[in-house]
Amino acid sequence: MVERSSVNPTQSFTDYRVGIDAPGEYKVLLTSDEARFAGHSRIDLNGRYFTTPMEWNGRRNFLQVYAPARTVLVLGL
């Protein structure tokens, strides 16, 4: 299961909520913030994200991430 969100060109968000149907522990699969993509390495590649069983944006669960401006973050179970 992979979830995505949109990229903001100017604003970063801490504790950005993403609605998720499949509960569990998510990890970073890809982020454009990595140095190899000329990013600033603000995303912890070893970070783990756990869902909270509360509906958010029409999904049964949510998780929270740091979403830097102009950054793509792909998470998977």
Side-chain angles (χ1 to χ4, degrees), residues 1 5 9 24-25 42 50 52 60-62 65 67 70 74 76:
M1 179 71 173
S5 186
E25 177 183 336
R42 296 166 289 190
F50 299 91
T52 299
R60 293 180 291 211
N61 306 279
F62 73 85
V65 299
R70 299 173 304 281
V74 179

Side-chain angles (χ1 to χ4, degrees), residues 38-56:
H40 298 286
S41 299
R42 296 166 289 190
I43 302 293
D44 180 4
L45 299 178
N46 296 311
R48 299 289 187 243
Y49 302 88
F50 299 91
T51 56
T52 299
M54 185 176 99
E55 186 175 328
W56 187 258

Side-chain angles (χ1 to χ4, degrees), residues 23-43:
E25 177 183 336
Y26 285 75
K27 64 181 182 175
V28 176
L29 299 179
L30 177 72
T31 177
S32 63
D33 194 47
E34 290 182 58
R36 67 183 171 138
F37 300 124
H40 298 286
S41 299
R42 296 166 289 190
I43 302 293

Side-chain angles (χ1 to χ4, degrees), residues 6-13 42 66-71:
S6 60
V7 175
N8 190 293
T10 59
Q11 188 173 4
S12 296
F13 298 93
R42 296 166 289 190
Y66 172 54
R70 299 173 304 281
T71 301

